[in-house]
Structure formats: C-alpha cells, structure tokens
Amino acid sequence: MTKDLSQPVLKVRDLTVEFATEDGVIRAVDSVSFDVQPNETLGLVGESGCGKTVTGLAMLRLIPMPPGRIASGSIELDGRDLVPLPDRDLEDLRGRALSMIFQEPMTALNPVFTIGNQMTDVLCRHRDLTRRQARPVAAELLAKVGIPEPANRLDDYPHQLSGGMRQRVMIAMALSCNPRLLIADEPTTALDVTTQAQVLEQFRALQAEFRMAVILVTHDLGVVAETCQRALVMYCGSIVESGATAELFSRPRHPYTAGLLASIPRLRSERLPELPVIPGRVPDLLNLPAGCRFADRCPRVQERCRAERPVLTGRDSGVACHYPL
Amino acid sequence: MEILQYALRKLLAGLPLILGVTLVSFALMVYFGPDMTYQLLGKNPTPEQILEVRQQLGYDQPFLQRYLVFLGEIVTFDFGVASTGEPVATLLAKTIPVSLILILPGFILGHVVGLLLALAAAYWRGSWPDKLIMAVAVIGMSVSFLIVIIGFQIVLSSSDGLDLFPVRGWNASSLGNYLSYVTVPTLATMFVALGYDTRFYRSVIVEEMTRDHVRTSRAFGLPESRILLRNILKNCLIPFITRVMFSIPQVAIGGALLIESYFGIPGIGKATYEAIVTGDQPVLKAVVSLTAILFVLVVVLNDILYRVVDPRVTLK
C-alpha cells in the first residue's frame, strides 16, 4: 500500500448505522462524514450514547449484525470502500491496515491464552512469519510499548498483568502489522490517572514512529486537547462541530461544545459556586425532535431551531447550528 | 509435578466426603432398609431363632461397630454374599463390565455429536440450520425416555419395522453380536442425551461469542471459524467438562438402571434394580458405597481438569 501524504487515509461519507430494537429502529450514527489525514490524530468526542463508539466500530465493520447494520454511506480506506467489501477481504485488512484498541483492557484479551500466543496469532495471520519467527518480533513490540522483561511476559496470561500492562499489550498487538489507521476507543478510560498519562505519552511517541493516522474516541476533553490535532464533536449520532483542536477549545461555536468545555472542572483562582452543567437530558433516540437535537437543552434556542435541522457547514471545520456562538 | 500434588491434595480432601456419604447411606439402610431376619426364617420362629439370625446378620451390634465393619468391607472390597448365594464381588465383576460397554458408546457419541451439532448451530445462529437443530433438540428433550426406547424397538427391532436388531437381551461374545445388541440402546440414550446436550453446548458457546475477547480477535482479522474452534471453544471447556463429568454418575446409575431393565441386559443397573426389589442388602451396600466413591472421584478429577484448561485456577 502506497503512503500518499496528500490524500486522506480515510474518507467517511454519509455513514448511517442503525440498530433494530424491540421498540423500533434506532439510528445510532446519522449521516456522518469526515476525513482522516495521514499521520493525523483525530478526536471523536461526545458523551455516552452519542454514537462515537459505534462510529469507531463501523470503521472495521465490527458492529454486531444483527441487530446493527450499516444502512448507507461509504468508508474509504486509501480509496477502497470497506462497506461492500466481502468478509474475507475485510478480514485481511483488520489488524493489518486497520487496527483497533478497546476500552476494556481487562476483558479484551482472551483469558486462556498467553500474551505471546495471542500476539503471534496476529503476526502469523498478517505477516509471513512462522510462530517461531514471530516470538522475537512480539517481544520487540512489547519492549516498544514500555513493558519490562518482554520475553518473559510473553508466557504470562492476561490475568497476571495489570490493567495498564494489558492495554500496552493491546497497543503492541495493534501496531504489530504497521497499520495505516488505528482506532482507539477510550484507550485510557479504564486506567488510573498516572497510568493514563504514561500510556498516552507512549502512544504519542509510537504514533510518530509508526507514522499512522489515529482516530481517538473519547469523552475526555483533556485527552483530546493533549493528543489530537483535530476533533469532531458528536451529539445524538451526528457531528455538531468539527475543527482544529486549538480552535475548537478556544472558540467553540456550537452551544453544546461550549457547554462541554464549561463543565470541565479545573483549578482556578476564583471559586465557582457550582460546576456548570448542560441542563436537560439527551433526547430518546426513538423519538428525536424534528429540528435541532440539542434544541431542548440549548440556552440560545430560537423558533427556527425546533423546526429546521441545521446542517454541518463544513467537513474539516464547521458547525451544525443556526445561531452559532 | 505441581499438578500431581494438587491431585493428591484433592483426593485427600475427598476422603471426609466419602466417609460422610457412606455414613448417611448406611444409616438410611439400617433404619429404613428392609429387615432380613424374617426372610431367612421360616414361619412362626421362636425368639431364640430370631436372636440367632440377628446375631448372624450382625444386627445386635451397636451402630458404630456395624458402620466400621461396613467401612472395612469397602476397603477390602468384600461385601459378603448376595441373597442368590453369589459373592457380591463376583456379581460386580460380572455386571460392571457389561454396563460399561453398554453405556460407553452412547455416552461418548451423545456428547461428541451434541457438541458438533451445537457448534454448527452456533456458527449459523439465527438462520435455518440453527433453528432445525434446536427444533430437533426440543423434541429429544420432550419425549419420554420410555417412549423413545419403545419407539426405537418398534422401528428397528420388530417385525412391524425394519427388524434389524434383537429386541432385547445381551451377547457380547463377538464384535458382530455386540454391535447388534448395543445399537438400539445406544441410539435411544443418544437421542435423549442429544436434546439436552446440544442445547446446553450451544447456549454456552453463544454466550462466549458475545465476550470482548471475541470482538478483539475479529478486530485483528482472525477468521471466524478459527475464532469459534479455538478461541471460543477453549473458554467453554470449564462448563463443558463439568457437564460431561457430572453426567457420569447419572448415566452410570440412572441410565444403566432404566436401559438394562428395559432391554433385559445383565448389567449393574439390572442387578441394582433386582437388589432394591428383593431387599438384597449386601448388593445395595456395595452399589451405594461405590456410587459415592465414584462421585467423589468425579469431583476430584473435575477440579484437576479445571486447572489443566484454565490458567486462572490456582493450585493452592
């Protein structure tokens, strides 16, 4: 695969993911479009249930089907659409061109196989290696993600490692075939703050070394500020704002982004009487309002917001709001 | 080596269990079992005769003493003489092998075929192979064992059906004879076991399929068939082993009892049934204590196998 730096690695267009539930069809991701540039880290931000994890899973077609399905849209990796791809061809890409790491380091690894066994599985699947040849490669990868005594760790089972160590193993596995794009779904959420910082630091260094694009799915705006060049803010299955992280954080335009930023607790000299919160609740995905989905919670809501749904003004930098800040 | 120590420790831990089980069953036999005195005596016995017989049977001894004698019988494997005049040990040596070769094919085939069907159902879950297999499994579960036996006898063994196999009886003198006598009982046990086992295996596999590590394997491009046959199956082994192990005592006692009396096969099940009906205490004592020991062995073996298949089980 050629690494053309002028073209986006990933082009997602009008991606819609639906889940059939007993009460009706839920649209978890609603015509989402975005690009990921080579070597870029793109943050996918939003609160629980906004569709960010489903979007991440959809990139590898890992949504459980049924009940889920990709209803429409395209996901182009280096110009090749993954949505209509036969399963066999997709399996070849998973773990090789496209890798994913998950939120739950405790359960994401298979408990009854050793770390080395699971790593060599991936190496032998995608690289032309025998199991014997794959072992030192696996040890090397473990060393790269900062695991001490990597050769000995290969014979350990997942339950013998800490959460942080397991997440490092996952990262090592994800990097083992030099992916073009890595999707990291809340990679540090389950870790304590110190480990989180170490893993993120390692992660940044590795990204520079492996020269890959990353989609970082997270609800943690602090992590986004530290690691992402660009970010997409999702609400109720759609992107409400996109832009360069610095821009987005200093001058949010969508009232939802502004609300999220205001509700981060921080140390400051003046004392706030209370932490600001966004009032109200996320609307029921089965009964979405006709207009803007944030209308009921928005401090700037007007007549037009309830009637007409705003569209995102630009793909790389834009806002879906009739009356942006 | 560590495993061997663990096995020994588990076996030692099983000893009190054996003592407890035999104590309870012995107490039940003494206080609720049939009194043999009047069977051995003629009509209108004198009190002296009664006393004499009770002495012979050991009934006049204190309970604890009798229990110790019973334990001695278990250890020396000498359970006395059955009411037929045959030593119990000889009876066991004659009947247990018959039951083993009768039950084993159905037991093994039932689990193997059940697992294969469950794998197929889980692989195609939700589509027609799954639905077909599960429908047949429900039929297997719903029909009474006796009806199944009679059904197979009519279809395979009677002149109204295919008339391929003998209706009842037993002859294992040659492989041909053995196969002709063992086929119908095996099919009947398999039919019933398959219903339960297939459903059980399928539900365990399908449950395991939803685990995070399965999604991880998919995310790394491992083929679906390999994920199912290796990554998922190894995680299912603990419930599988438990299922197989604990069906051993059940099959050895319940299955053999029913099948042997229905097909007129001279195995341990039939001997037990006859001993219950005639109140043949020496035979009953032997069967009860051996069953208890079998059960304890199964539990110990089960624990050891857990350790073999799951690294998270510690040896402590």
Side-chain angles (χ1 to χ4, degrees), chain B residues 235-254:
Chain B
N235 274 283
C236 296
L237 282 179
I238 284 213
F240 285 3
I241 286 171
T242 315
R243 176 78 171 195
V244 172
M245 295 305 289
F246 281 89
S247 68
I248 290 174
Q250 209 183 334
V251 165
I253 310 307

Side-chain angles (χ1 to χ4, degrees), chain B:
Chain B
M1 205 55 229
E2 217 183 4
I3 279 268
L4 206 67
Q5 275 181 13
Y6 178 74
L8 272 174
R9 220 165 39 231
K10 281 280 166 192
L11 270 176
L12 283 177
L15 276 182
L17 198 56
I18 292 181
L19 282 180
V21 174
T22 50
L23 182 66
V24 170
S25 41
F26 185 70
L28 286 173
M29 278 188 286
V30 167
Y31 292 110
F32 299 100
D35 191 323
M36 297 299 288
T37 321
Y38 300 96
Q39 271 184 37
L40 295 175
L41 291 161
K43 274 185 182 163
N44 305 324
T46 60
E48 291 76 38
Q49 282 177 310
I50 292 179
L51 211 63
E52 198 191 315
V53 170
R54 293 188 75 83
Q55 237 163 20
Q56 274 174 11
L57 289 168
Y59 285 3
D60 57 338
Q61 305 287 323
F63 177 79
L64 201 64
Q65 173 118 31
R66 290 177 65 191
Y67 176 61
L68 288 175
V69 170
F70 173 55
L71 282 184
E73 287 176 350
I74 295 176
V75 174
T76 57
F77 216 73
D78 176 12
F79 294 98
V81 176
S83 58
T84 51
E86 194 179 17
V88 176
T90 319
L91 180 77
L92 293 178
K94 210 170 63 187
T95 54
I96 288 177
V98 171
S99 294
L100 275 182
I101 58 171
L102 167 70
I103 295 296
L104 226 51
F107 178 77
I108 294 171
L109 282 174
H111 281 291
V112 170
V113 176
L115 181 58
L116 291 176
L117 287 176
L119 281 170
Y123 189 81
W124 287 290
R125 70 192 168 289
S127 53
W128 70 266
D130 182 23
K131 285 174 184 151
L132 180 73
I133 291 169
M134 284 305 108
V136 175
V138 171
I139 295 172
M141 282 167 67
S142 317
V143 181
S144 147
F145 196 14
L146 294 179
I147 304 285
V148 173
I149 293 177
I150 295 167
F152 272 109
Q153 282 181 331
I154 290 173
V155 173
L156 295 172
S157 312
S158 77
S159 51
D160 295 325
L162 298 168
D163 208 1
L164 292 172
F165 303 100
V167 183
R168 43 188 287 121
W170 186 249
N171 182 351
S173 56
S174 72
L175 187 65
N177 278 333
Y178 168 60
L179 287 179
S180 81
Y181 280 96
V182 85
T183 304
V184 181
T186 299
L187 287 176
T189 25
M190 257 181 76
F191 186 81
V192 175
L194 270 185
Y196 291 95
D197 291 340
T198 308
R199 277 179 66 92
F200 171 79
Y201 287 137
R202 180 191 176 276
S203 71
V204 173
I205 295 169
V206 167
E207 162 105 28
E208 193 62 35
M209 280 176 149
T210 63
R211 300 254 187 263
D212 285 341
H213 67 79
V214 176
R215 189 181 61 187
T216 306
S217 302
R218 288 203 184 107
F220 283 98
L222 300 186
E224 201 65 22
S225 54
R226 184 180 162 88
I227 295 177
L228 178 65
L229 293 177
R230 185 165 168 272
N231 300 27
I232 292 179
L233 216 51
K234 195 171 178 202
N235 274 283
C236 296
L237 282 179
I238 284 213
F240 285 3
I241 286 171
T242 315
R243 176 78 171 195
V244 172
M245 295 305 289
F246 281 89
S247 68
I248 290 174
Q250 209 183 334
V251 165
I253 310 307
L257 209 123
L258 212 63
I259 290 252
E260 286 169 15
S261 38
Y262 242 81
F263 286 92
I265 296 166
I268 185 71
K270 191 153 174 283
T272 310
Y273 173 73
E274 278 159 8
I276 293 171
V277 172
T278 59
D280 198 341
Q281 276 211 3
V283 178
L284 285 180
K285 277 196 297 191
V287 171
V288 166
S289 47
L290 290 182
T291 312
I293 292 168
L294 176 68
F295 210 92
V296 171
L297 285 180
V298 162
V299 172
V300 171
L301 194 58
N302 202 47
D303 279 356
I304 294 167
L305 286 175
Y306 277 3
R307 178 59 188 87
V308 176
V309 300
D310 194 331
R312 286 166 297 179
V313 177
T314 57
L315 291 168
K316 297 287 167 281

Side-chain angles (χ1 to χ4, degrees), chain A residues 71-184:
Chain A
S72 62
S74 64
I75 302 164
E76 277 182 28
L77 179 77
D78 290 314
R80 191 178 184 197
D81 190 1
L82 305 180
V83 176
L85 210 60
D87 288 346
R88 185 60 62 88
D89 296 349
L90 189 72
E91 276 172 12
D92 279 339
L93 291 178
R94 286 175 178 168
R96 190 164 59 92
L98 266 173
S99 271
M100 182 149 188
I101 52 182
F102 299 95
Q103 180 173 358
E104 313 82 4
M106 296 323 225
T107 53
L109 291 165
N110 195 324
V112 298
F113 291 101
T114 60
I115 304 296
N117 204 331
Q118 297 183 55
M119 290 188 74
T120 45
D121 264 0
V122 178
L123 286 166
C124 297
R125 169 73 179 86
H126 295 298
R127 287 164 65 166
D128 199 16
L129 296 173
T130 63
R131 292 197 88 83
R132 185 180 295 237
Q133 290 166 331
R135 216 182 132 87
V137 180
E140 213 174 289
L141 283 160
L142 287 184
K144 273 214 170 97
V145 294
I147 290 182
E149 294 181 73
N152 296 336
R153 294 289 81 76
L154 285 178
D155 296 321
D156 282 351
Y157 287 93
H159 72 274
Q160 292 168 296
L161 303 180
S162 67
M165 284 296 165
R166 283 187 228 184
Q167 197 59 293
R168 284 167 205 263
V169 172
M170 277 299 297
I171 295 172
M173 265 169 80
L175 298 179
S176 59
C177 302
N178 234 323
R180 284 283 278 155
L181 175 67
L182 175 71
I183 295 142

Side-chain angles (χ1 to χ4, degrees), chain A residues 58-69:
Chain A
M59 302 298 109
L60 279 92
R61 273 181 30 203
L62 278 176
I63 294 157
M65 301 190 227
R69 70 185 188 106

